[in-house]
Structures are given as C-alpha cells and as structure tokens.
C-alpha cells in the first residue's frame, strides 16, 4: 500500500512538472519575430524611427530605454508592469527604490505607443514595445541587432514589493547578483554579458559615492581621484559620471576593459571582476568585442523570454501607464 502511494505521488509530481514545462515551451513558442507581420506591419518601422529620433536628441537616452526592458522583465516577467502608474489596485513599480528618480524614458515609450495605436489600435502590446525599443536603442549607438520575439501581452497589475526584492541594488555583492539573476533563470554568464549594457549611460554621484570614499582596494587610485572631483563626499548627489569612462556613448567592450583595470564605477560593476567566479567572463569580453556583441544579443533574447503573458492572458493596453477600463 505504501509503495503504491509513493508511486502515485511520484507520478503526480512528474505529471505536474510536465505540464509546467509544456506551458513554458508553449508560451515561448507563441512568441515570434513575425507576430505583427499581418496585423501591424508598420509597427517596427515606427518604433525604430522614434528611437532614432530620441537618441539623436540625447545620446544618453539609449541607455535609459535599454534599462526599462531589463527592469520590467525582472518583475513578474516581461509584461510592461513597470509602466503602470499608481491606481486604486496598483502600487507602481516606478516607485521602487531601485527605480524612483533613476529610470528615464517613459515619455518616449508613451509617444511610441500613441503613434502605433493611431495606426493599429489594440494590436501591439507595451511589453513588446519595450523589447523592440531595447534592441533599437542598442543599435542606435553601435550595438548589434537581433530578432526580437514578439507576441507578449500586458499585465494589469504591478508589484512594487517584488521589484524591490528582485531588482539588483547598486551595493549588491556578487553572490547577491547571482541570486537575483538565478531567480529569473539567468546564469553567471548572463549576469556578466547583460551588465555589459553599462558600456553606455551614466550614473549619479549618490549611487557610486561610497565606492570612492570607503577603504576598498579594488579601485584604481587615479580613477578614484578623478571621480572624486565631480562627486564630493558631501553634496552633488545628482552629478553624473559615465559608466564607461572611455567610450560612454558607443556600444563596445570598453566596459569590461575598465573592470580589468579596476575602474568600474558602480560597486556592482567591479564585483564582476574581483577574484570571483565571473572573472573569466570579464576577461573574455574585454579581449573580444565580437564575442561581446553577439553574446549580448543572445542574452537579450533569453531575457525577453522571462515569463511572457501570451494567448488570452493579460491584455493589450491602450495606454502603457494604465490598464484598460472594462
């Protein structure tokens, strides 16, 4: 009798795992680069043109737009929950401490959504717009393109608490970063390669000040002195510094070269090259720009597969900042 019950329990577990696995495979199979080929063929050209315009006006915007997709996918999956404002039943992820006052580019997404809605109302999701914008922003500053899988739908909820639990903190250790990424099905290599997005963009003094004034030895003395000039020990919290001090407006592998020289701006940057398990990946990409470009594209596709809403799940929001009224 006991053996029969054990067999039944084991069989039930296997069956449930098969269902879960099949659901994951099915959801990913429904995503396709050609998803809007018939329903909204002008969507991708509209998005591309808008991103080019935004980046030409402000080069830094490329990094901001790319970051939106990352911060969305790590909370509830790639479902545009990040874009929802506070509402009666919504606690916005925009107010999570990793996002508040840090994320930018919402107005670019809103403008793109409005333009796409005018051509194909109710067809293209905000979640897909974020994914395409991340690719086009990367290309706009010299990065490699990739085929974006499409067909995601939009969440009707947001989760600030989950955002604060899942999004990496600027002071995170390597172990904490690995845990953050592992929770999303991403490995150590993905952590390093996706962190390479810091080859563009800037950070504020308030985020990296502690690295300049603590007793850490994993920082180049000359780099520390240079950064201190624009980031005093008191005041100047909003002063900006480039994440890549060599080519901050070009998508290349100089970010990794900086880390090897102990010139990472954020503590989480230098944590990737500090005698730990990810040192080898950093060295590889510091020496091979081609590998960085191609591997980054592949990692972005992988990240875009994190728990998408497909089929009849969620909705196609008419505006990205609020769910549709029923």
């Amino acid at each position: 009798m006991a053996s029969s019950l054990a067999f039944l329990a084991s069989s039930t577990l296997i069956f449930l795992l098969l269902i879960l696995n099949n659901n994951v495979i099915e959801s990913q199979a429904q995503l396709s680069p050609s998803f809007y080929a018939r329903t909204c063929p002008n969507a991708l050209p509209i998005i591309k043109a808008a991103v080019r315009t935004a980046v030409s006006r402000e080069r830094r915007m490329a990094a901001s737009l790319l970051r939106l997709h990352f911060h969305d996918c790590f909370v509830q999956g790639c479902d545009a929950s990040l874009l929802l404002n506070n509402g009666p039943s919504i606690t916005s992820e925009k107010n999570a401490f990793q996002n508040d006052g840090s994320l930018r580019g919402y107005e670019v997404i809103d403008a793109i959504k409005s333009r796409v809605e005018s051509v194909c109302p109710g067809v293209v999701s905000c979640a897909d717009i974020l994914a395409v914008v991340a690719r086009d922003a990367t290309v706009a500053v010299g990065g490699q393109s990739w085929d974006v899988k499409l067909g995601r739908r939009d969440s009707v909820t947001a989760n600030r608490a989950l955002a604060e639990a899942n999004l990496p903190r600027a002071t995170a250790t390597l172990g904490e970063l690995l845990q953050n990424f592992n929770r999303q099905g991403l490995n150590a290599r993905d952590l390093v390669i996706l962190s390479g997005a810091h080859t563009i963009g800037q950070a504020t003094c308030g985020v990296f000040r502690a690295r300049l004034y603590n007793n850490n030895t994993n920082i180049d003395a000359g780099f520390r002195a240079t950064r201190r000039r624009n980031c005093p020990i008191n005041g100047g919290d909003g002063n900006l510094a480039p994440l890549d001090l060599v080519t901050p407006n070009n998508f290349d592998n100089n970010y990794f070269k900086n880390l090897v020289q102990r010139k990472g701006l954020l503590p989480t940057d230098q944590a990737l090259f500090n005698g730990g398990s990810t040192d080898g990946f950093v060295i590889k990409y510091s020496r091979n720009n081609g590998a960085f470009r191609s591997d980054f594209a592949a990692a972005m596709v992988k990240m875009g597969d994190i728990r998408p809403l497909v089929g009849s799940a969620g909705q196609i929001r008419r505006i990205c900042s609020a769910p549709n009224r029923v």
Side-chain angles (χ1 to χ4, degrees):
M1 181 67 177
S3 61
S4 297
L5 290 174
F7 175 77
L8 179 61
S10 176
S11 299
T12 301
L13 177 59
I14 292 172
F15 178 69
L16 291 173
L17 289 174
L18 286 173
I19 291 176
L20 177 61
N21 187 54
N22 286 337
N23 285 341
V24 172
I25 293 172
E26 182 181 356
S27 70
Q28 293 183 2
Q30 292 183 44
L31 298 180
S32 166
S34 60
F35 189 83
Y36 299 115
R38 294 184 179 180
T39 57
C40 194
N42 291 324
L44 297 188
I46 289 171
I47 296 171
K48 183 177 182 179
V51 170
R52 282 184 171 178
T53 298
V55 174
S56 67
R57 289 174 178 167
E58 183 192 2
R59 194 80 169 174
R60 181 189 171 201
M61 185 56 69
S64 298
L65 294 174
L66 176 56
R67 192 169 176 230
L68 288 176
H69 185 41
F70 174 87
H71 279 237
D72 178 48
C73 289
F74 268 53
V75 186
Q76 299 186 165
C78 306
D79 62 357
S81 61
L82 170 67
L83 303 178
L84 289 169
N85 289 335
N86 278 328
S89 60
I90 296 173
T91 303
S92 178
E93 294 166 20
K94 294 180 180 180
N95 298 324
F97 67 80
Q98 296 98 321
N99 296 334
D100 188 26
S102 172
L103 291 187
R104 312 165 63 244
Y106 296 118
E107 72 284 355
V108 177
I109 303 299
D110 289 340
I112 290 173
K113 176 63 173 175
S114 178
R115 176 70 179 116
V116 172
E117 281 291 303
S118 71
V119 176
C120 310
V123 174
V124 181
S125 69
C126 300
D128 277 347
I129 289 174
L130 283 177
V132 177
V133 163
R135 186 269 311 275
D136 291 348
T138 300
V139 172
V141 289
Q144 182 161 316
S145 184
W146 61 88
D147 289 332
V148 179
K149 292 196 284 185
L150 303 167
R152 301 169 189 81
R153 289 169 64 85
D154 298 325
S155 172
V156 297
T157 63
N159 194 324
R160 174 179 173 176
L162 191 62
E164 294 185 342
N166 281 1
L167 290 170
R169 307 183 183 204
T171 57
T173 64
L174 177 59
E176 290 168 338
L177 291 171
L178 289 169
Q179 288 178 356
N180 284 132
F181 276 68
N182 286 338
R183 280 198 293 268
Q184 309 305 326
L186 302 173
N187 57 33
R189 183 170 172 271
D190 297 322
L191 164 62
V192 174
I193 195 63
L194 290 172
S195 296
H198 284 184
T199 188
I200 54 175
Q202 302 181 63
T204 57
C205 169
V207 175
F208 61 83
R209 175 184 287 111
R211 173 158 163 74
L212 303 181
Y213 292 95
N214 59 22
N215 295 321
N216 285 344
T217 59
N218 65 340
I219 184 170
D220 177 81
F223 173 76
R224 188 204 303 261
T226 299
R227 293 277 71 90
R228 280 181 173 182
R229 293 170 193 161
N230 196 44
C231 185
I233 194 167
N234 294 305
D237 284 4
N239 294 349
L240 292 168
L243 292 163
D244 172 1
L245 74 153
V246 182
T247 53
N249 292 318
N250 295 319
F251 205 93
D252 55 32
N253 67 332
N254 275 317
Y255 165 79
F256 298 107
K257 295 179 181 179
N258 292 339
L259 299 188
V260 172
Q261 297 169 3
R262 296 183 296 129
K263 296 178 180 179
L265 185 65
L266 304 181
T268 47
D269 290 329
Q270 198 60 56
L272 302 179
F273 188 80
N274 192 32
S277 60
T278 53
D279 283 13
F281 294 119
V282 172
I283 292 173
K284 172 186 175 180
Y285 295 124
S286 73
R287 295 173 177 173
N288 192 330
N289 188 44
F292 165 54
R293 289 166 58 85
S294 60
D295 288 356
F296 183 82
M300 287 296 292
V301 173
K302 183 177 179 180
M303 186 182 77
D305 279 338
I306 297 176
R307 297 184 300 281
L309 297 176
V310 295
S312 60
Q315 61 181 209
I316 305 298
R317 299 205 297 261
R318 288 188 287 272
I319 60 173
C320 291
S321 58
N324 301 337
R325 294 181 180 178
V326 180

